[in-house]
Amino acid sequence: MSRAKSEGSGAGAGRRSSARRRPRPEQGAPDAGGRARGALRVREAMSEREPGSVTLFIAEKPSVARDLVRTLAQTGKKLVSRTGFFEGEGEVVTWAIGHLLELFEPEDYRPEWKRWRLEALPIFPPEFRLRPIPRTKAQLDVVLELLRSPAVGEVVNACDAGREGELIFRHLLEAAGRTGLPVRRLWVSAMTDQAIREGLENLADGRDFEALEAAARCRSESDWLVGINATRGMTVKCGTLLSVGRVQTPTLAILAEREREVRAFIPKTYWEVEATFTAPSGTYLGTWFGPEAPDGRLSDPDRAGEIAGRVAGREGTVEEVESRRSSHLPPLLHDLTQLQREMNRRYGLSASRTLHLAQDLYERYKVITYPRTDSRFLTGRNIPLLVPTLAALAAAPGPLAAAAAPLVEAGKLPLSGRIVNDKRVRDHHAIIPTPNARGASGLKGDHLRVYEAVARRFVAVFYPPAVIESTTVVTRTAGEAFRSRGRLIVSPGWLAVDESGRPGGDEEEQALPALEKGTPVRAEQVLPVEKATKPPPRYTEASLLQAMDTAGQLVDDEELQEAMKDKGLGTPATRAAIIERLIEVGYVERERRTLQPTAKGLELVASIPTRDLVSPALTGLWESRLRAVEAGGLSRREFMADIREFVGRLVRDIAALDAGGLKEKMRRVVGPCPRCGSDVVEGRQAYACSTGKENCGFYLWKTVAGRRLRPGEAEAILSGKRTGLLRGFRSRTGRPFAAYLELGEDGSARFVFPERKPRAASARGRTAGSGRP
């Protein structure tokens, strides 16, 4: 048994965790010591060049810059690696590392805005300004030095093709003071050499993307205004730190509303009579129904027992057989949200994990197209690549080869508006595999799962509809009627390739024997079964992503989902981060595969006075207005004027809020203090005794050996129990390990290692983040 190391200082804390050490520089960026060297190298490289003789490419990340350099080399343009950029004869390629600049904090505009005071709200900067992000300042210096060089005659925006990539690039131009430079845009949806080469041959005029830039600035600045003013206002008013956001708060409201429904639900007991019938062709199940209970649910258990007793062992006949065949079209291709939902539903992967894997498959392995898309359709420009992509899948080793081969042999694909529809594609088409199918041969684990989901759906959309026969049978025995339902796949069609979109529910999966009207049967086993109504299910990430996509309305029909997309919460690229943010600030917890709001999250949603801020539908309208800015139908000035009016009203409502007792309601008690018996409550960084550090001083750090300690785990420790085996800890050397946690005799939490690791049995006096701060 060993005491575990805490993240932070305090009695028994030992050395500081490796998480507190100086972080390593971002990959591809010069370190602080190389900053001057990088800028100097830029000046040396550009000083003797003719003014306007260089085309500067700016990629969003180093890996994309390397792909650009490789593709340029294939056209005879050789570039040499320097510190922070690649240098060629007429071309220079450099990169950002995501955002290199961020918006000013309030105190950067005015020192008096540093203090959080209601009287200072609303905070409206006269104009939004930018500051460097410290950890990537070195690379920023290189990019700005290049942009300011007189040798640069034009610049190619090679950042990610979307709203955020446009903003990253425009911020850099603004910081360099070179907004007048001619700009061309590289817009690609795959990172294969062929796709990049075609993009370079068809560079767009940067002026065509000014509306996209305007929408990106509106999104960034409106989030700042709402977040800063609402967070400060609610924090000051309630006396506890509260994070409030334009999109995260209505997302939290969706979860809070469902949680209230679950808690208010009162289950009702009912009884069903279930029978097993034997016919000459086989057995099948049936459920009683009658005039007194058309749905088969009886409130009287005696009545259910009476029916069961009268029917058991009796002969009967099939009274009615009704069959109906239906044709089910293949599901649409994947966009990011649908891919995240499928991976969560099938494998329990979080939205952020799926996004990371998909981005890896796009950038590193180059086996799928751009993943951060909101479209489930292709464009006419994609048609020439469809057969080559299918041919690559047919030739590659793997289970999809046999499914793709018949489509290639047929020559002509069955294209329709459900597959190719230019009007339904804005920035990027649906996620599909690239022709680089052999690049997927080495994929394993979750990478392979995500790739196969994309590839299977791509093949499936070209297959014929699935034909399913649904049958309802009514059996009459001893004067009582029983209903049976069954489904039979007559023609699998696309289901032979991709079963993830299988229509129908499990309750109708019974395979019925051959029955017809008048078939004699016998009731072999008849039982009254006690059941209870169930509350609405808590959200999983899969169902929450759907609710965000449709502004809180759960819609199953794919066409209706598509129609509501413009009014969803956030974008496919931001939703994963929103969910993680809600968990990070303590408003939501993951419980197995469900998401549950905490007391703090529930009280926040209930207390916000401006209900527009917690309304998913109204917040969805803001997103539709951003789309209008992006399409050029609404000016940036109009959008921001509406946001300022909204923020002003929000601040007035917060100022008038009666917040008495809210801080106490938001406290989460996780158990009794082992030292003094008072409540231990959840704080930002620790679970601490409510008497304060100046009195008892007991605490459990919320981060232990690099792993977040969940409230339920803290409750187990404080109740004197041992937690289950917890994974995800990291040693001082960075090695992962698993252990149990329990409360030691001295009131501190201690690691208990599994018995199969005997070396872990020696006690070395390290606490698991508890003690006196």
Side-chain angles (χ1 to χ4, degrees):
M1 188 176 297
S2 174
R3 293 181 183 178
K5 178 184 67 177
S6 67
E7 287 231 351
S9 59
R15 292 171 52 192
R16 289 182 181 266
S17 161
S18 59
R20 301 289 297 272
R21 298 172 190 161
R22 179 182 177 186
R24 292 183 298 175
E26 293 283 339
Q27 183 181 10
D31 58 25
R35 184 180 304 166
R37 185 172 67 252
L40 177 62
R41 183 71 74 175
V42 169
R43 287 192 290 272
E44 290 175 351
M46 309 298 278
S47 61
E48 297 182 3
R49 293 176 181 260
E50 291 293 323
S53 62
V54 171
T55 297
L56 175 63
F57 293 79
I58 301 179
E60 189 166 322
K61 47 186 77 74
S63 61
V64 177
R66 289 191 290 270
D67 291 336
L68 276 171
V69 169
R70 186 184 63 251
T71 305
L72 287 169
Q74 294 170 3
T75 63
K77 298 174 180 178
K78 303 294 184 182
L79 288 87
V80 180
S81 177
R82 306 296 188 198
T83 303
F85 65 101
F86 293 92
E87 179 187 3
E89 198 167 305
E91 295 79 23
V92 171
V93 177
T94 188
W95 59 85
I97 306 168
H99 283 278
L100 298 179
L101 295 152
E102 62 185 1
L103 296 176
F104 268 23
E105 288 295 318
E107 57 269 26
D108 296 328
Y109 295 102
R110 296 183 189 174
E112 61 269 27
W113 279 351
K114 186 171 184 177
R115 286 188 60 203
W116 291 30
R117 298 182 303 116
L118 278 175
E119 296 77 16
L121 304 180
I123 293 174
F124 290 133
E127 62 177 2
F128 282 95
R129 298 175 62 189
L130 302 167
R131 67 180 190 181
I133 296 174
R135 64 184 173 85
T136 53
K137 177 67 163 59
Q139 185 62 20
L140 174 65
D141 290 344
V142 171
V143 176
L144 295 185
E145 191 76 30
L146 285 166
L147 279 169
R148 289 167 179 157
S149 170
V152 173
E154 71 167 355
V155 59
V156 175
N157 177 4
C159 293
D160 282 1
R163 191 189 289 174
E164 209 62 21
E166 198 67 26
L167 185 63
I168 290 170
F169 175 79
R170 297 292 174 171
H171 276 174
L172 291 170
L173 281 187
E174 180 183 333
R178 297 298 303 272
T179 55
L181 268 176
V183 173
R184 290 194 288 169
R185 187 59 158 109
L186 176 66
W187 193 274
V188 296
S189 291
M191 293 308 299
T192 61
D193 291 352
Q194 180 182 349
I196 296 173
R197 191 161 53 249
E198 290 177 358
L200 292 172
E201 293 169 356
N202 297 280
L203 292 173
D205 190 326
R207 290 172 294 186
D208 295 342
F209 299 87
E210 289 176 352
L212 183 64
E213 174 201 353
R217 289 185 183 272
C218 285
R219 197 278 309 158
S220 174
E221 294 168 9
S222 63
D223 284 353
W224 191 98
L225 288 174
V226 174
I228 290 292
N229 286 284
T231 295
R232 290 191 172 202
M234 290 298 294
T235 296
V236 172
K237 195 70 176 180
C238 298
T240 185
L241 182 63
L242 297 172
S243 174
V244 183
R246 183 181 65 87
V247 179
Q248 78 175 40
T249 302
T251 302
L252 175 61
I254 293 174
L255 295 170
E257 178 61 29
R258 177 58 56 85
E259 187 65 21
R260 278 190 283 270
E261 292 174 0
V262 171
R263 294 185 182 187
F265 181 81
I266 300 174
K268 294 182 179 179
T269 303
Y270 65 92
W271 283 260
E272 290 184 344
V273 182
E274 297 180 352
T276 300
F277 295 102
T278 300
S281 55
T283 62
Y284 62 99
L285 302 177
T287 302
W288 175 90
F289 70 101
E292 60 192 287
D295 60 357
R297 295 182 176 187
L298 291 164
S299 58
D300 183 359
D302 294 334
R303 172 66 174 144
E306 175 199 342
I307 295 171
R310 188 166 63 254
V311 172
R314 300 287 296 274
E315 304 292 333
T317 59
V318 173
E319 188 176 78
E320 182 181 328
V321 177
E322 181 181 344
S323 296
R324 180 175 57 86
R325 289 191 177 185
S326 56
S327 178
H328 298 267
L329 294 171
L332 301 175
L333 291 164
H334 281 304
D335 62 5
L336 177 59
T337 298
Q338 295 301 321
L339 180 61
Q340 288 169 321
R341 290 185 62 207
E342 179 180 332
M343 301 313 293
N344 180 255
R345 187 171 55 246
R346 295 181 67 186
Y347 306 114
L349 298 184
S350 68
S352 59
R353 172 71 174 155
T354 298
L355 175 56
H356 170 77
L357 293 165
Q359 197 71 24
D360 224 18
L361 293 172
Y362 166 67
E363 290 181 356
R364 179 182 170 191
Y365 295 100
K366 302 174 181 22
V367 293
I368 67 170
T369 57
Y370 186 75
R372 297 169 183 255
T373 176
D374 65 351
S375 178
R376 303 185 70 182
F377 300 87
L378 303 175
T379 68
R381 291 180 58 187
N382 300 127
I383 292 176
L385 286 175
L386 298 182
V387 171
T389 301
L390 287 166
L393 290 171
L400 274 177
L407 298 172
V408 177
E409 293 169 3
K412 186 177 181 181
L413 296 175
L415 299 179
S416 70
R418 284 175 54 84
I419 302 172
V420 178
N421 191 332
D422 289 67
K423 294 180 180 179
R424 306 291 286 272
V425 181
R426 274 188 291 257
D427 296 338
H428 292 278
H429 58 72
I431 308 171
I432 61 173
T434 67
N436 182 31
R438 291 196 174 275
S441 59
L443 296 177
K444 296 179 181 179
D446 290 341
H447 279 96
L448 181 60
R449 286 172 167 173
V450 174
Y451 174 75
E452 285 194 340
V454 171
R456 284 188 180 281
R457 180 60 55 86
F458 173 69
V459 174
V461 297
F462 300 112
Y463 266 66
V467 179
I468 297 176
E469 183 176 82
S470 299
T471 301
T472 301
V473 174
V474 176
T475 305
R476 178 83 55 181
T477 305
E480 303 292 347
F482 289 79
R483 183 187 294 117
S484 305
R485 289 192 174 97
R487 288 159 60 88
L488 175 68
I489 297 177
V490 178
S491 174
W494 59 271
L495 281 172
V497 182
D498 182 12
E499 284 202 341
S500 64
R502 190 185 185 102
D506 294 337
E507 71 279 3
E508 295 188 356
E509 291 300 316
Q510 177 181 192
L512 294 170
L515 298 170
E516 59 184 25
K517 186 175 181 179
T519 299
V521 300
R522 178 182 176 84
E524 297 290 353
Q525 186 178 30
V526 187
L527 296 172
V529 180
E530 181 179 347
K531 297 184 178 182
T533 55
K534 296 180 180 180
R538 288 187 171 92
Y539 281 100
T540 62
E541 287 200 38
S543 56
L544 179 60
L545 286 167
Q546 179 187 345
M548 294 175 75
D549 208 24
T550 54
Q553 300 183 50
L554 291 180
V555 179
D556 291 327
D557 184 84
E558 283 189 325
E559 292 300 325
L560 287 177
Q561 289 175 13
E562 287 297 306
M564 298 180 69
K565 269 188 172 180
D566 283 350
K567 297 182 180 179
L569 300 184
T571 66
T574 61
R575 286 171 189 148
I578 291 165
I579 295 172
E580 294 301 322
R581 175 64 178 166
L582 289 173
I583 295 170
E584 178 188 345
V585 298
Y587 294 158
V588 174
E589 293 174 348
R590 281 192 180 95
E591 293 294 337
R592 297 182 184 274
R593 291 195 179 187
T594 65
L595 298 170
Q596 297 183 26
T598 62
K600 187 176 184 180
L602 290 169
E603 291 298 331
L604 173 64
V605 170
S607 64
I608 289 178
T610 307
R611 302 315 293 170
D612 287 3
L613 185 58
V614 297
S615 168
L618 290 174
T619 305
L621 287 176
W622 283 115
E623 187 62 36
S624 70
R625 289 169 66 80
L626 279 173
R627 294 286 191 188
V629 174
E630 190 174 316
L634 182 69
S635 72
R636 181 173 172 234
R637 177 175 295 181
E638 289 176 283
F639 181 92
M640 293 307 299
D642 290 344
I643 284 287
R644 286 171 179 263
E645 187 278 328
F646 172 72
V647 169
R649 176 161 53 90
L650 175 62
V651 168
R652 291 192 296 272
D653 291 345
I654 291 174
L657 173 66
D658 179 7
L662 274 177
K663 182 177 180 180
E664 288 68 29
K665 290 180 181 178
M666 290 182 180
R667 292 196 321 174
R668 175 165 184 169
V669 177
V670 293
C673 176
R675 292 185 180 171
C676 69
S678 301
D679 288 339
V680 174
V681 298
E682 182 179 8
R684 285 192 67 200
Q685 295 181 318
Y687 303 100
C689 181
S690 57
T691 61
K693 62 182 179 181
E694 67 279 358
N695 295 309
C696 170
F698 173 82
Y699 68 92
L700 290 172
W701 286 116
K702 295 183 80 170
T703 302
V704 179
R707 183 192 184 278
R708 197 79 167 167
L709 187 65
R710 296 170 181 165
E713 295 160 356
E715 289 174 359
I717 294 170
L718 294 172
S719 67
K721 300 176 182 177
R722 179 182 293 183
T723 66
L725 185 63
L726 306 179
R727 303 184 185 278
F729 296 114
R730 292 269 173 181
S731 70
R732 290 172 180 166
T733 59
R735 295 185 65 181
F737 68 92
Y740 306 94
L741 284 176
E742 69 176 16
L743 198 64
E745 294 177 0
D746 60 352
S748 63
R750 301 192 296 184
F751 284 140
V752 180
F753 294 93
E755 291 183 4
R756 64 178 179 274
K757 296 181 180 179
R759 287 184 300 171
S762 60
R764 301 198 323 196
R766 291 162 53 214
T767 63
S770 61
R772 196 178 285 273

